[in-house]
Amino acid sequence: EALIFSQSQRLFSQLRSCTMAICQTKVVHAQAVADNVTHLKLAVPEGCQWVTGQFARIAMPSTNEPQWRCYSIASKAGADTLDFFIARVKGGAVSPRLCNLKVGETILLDTEMNGMLIESRLQPGGRDLWLLSTGTGVAPFVAIVSDDSIMDKYERVFLVHGVRNWNETQYLQHVLKLQPKLRVMASVTRDEGAVIDVRIPDALESGLLEATAEAKLTPQASRVMLCGNPAMVKAVRASMRARGIVSPRNGEPGQLLAENFWL
């Protein structure tokens, strides 16, 4: 009992020494949705607010310094739960423990949210919204397509998910809010059967992506968001720049927002 009290006291002191944004919350849903991906839903702490498209820091409770990781929030602003897709990293220090969490267990949350993928930062106008992602970088786009205040601005929304195997993308059919204006396209590079069977940058350069979507990427018609591995983000940004689709800079609005996401 003395040991348990001592550990609890250390954790309480640790939380007090951090910013007031650090709090504990509970897991209300935990489900493996792919071979290496777990869908976590956390209870929303009182007063916790976020903007659709942001990310949050989460960590396992620890008697030592918590090991924080950033994960994009897969639920829209004001949702009943904070949703995350956690990719299990083999040999990782944090993600395997997060993926093993059970309903009712406690997790640490930093309620000071951040992120670049805020739709209001895009230049107003545009008919089409393109959401290009790889792996669990699709999370903020799951939130975006569930947010009517964003979807109502566009005539068409194209969500592209780049993965190696079908198993890594099939869960989207269960978590996405399906609607007539939404077109979901998978870029699957190792399994057969995908219309887009090459990496997103290659599909963009060859014209396959636009042909599949039956839409053109132009500065006038298109607004673009990228979230995924740095190689994809860098290559697509370069391709977009050549078309005149650029990020906001020097106070000027842009048509593209990007965020690196390693898994």
Side-chain angles (χ1 to χ4, degrees), residues 176-204:
L176 288 177
K177 177 183 178 181
L178 299 181
Q179 46 200 299
K181 66 174 63 178
L182 175 63
R183 175 78 181 277
V184 181
M185 296 174 283
S187 163
V188 184
T189 58
R190 294 189 184 178
D191 285 343
E192 296 182 355
V195 174
I196 302 175
D197 57 0
V198 294
R199 296 170 58 250
I200 292 174
D202 297 330
L204 188 59

Side-chain angles (χ1 to χ4, degrees), residues 42 44 48 50 73-83 146:
L42 308 182
V44 179
C48 177
W50 69 97
I73 303 169
S75 45
K76 68 178 182 179
D80 293 335
T81 57
L82 280 159
D83 292 19
S146 70

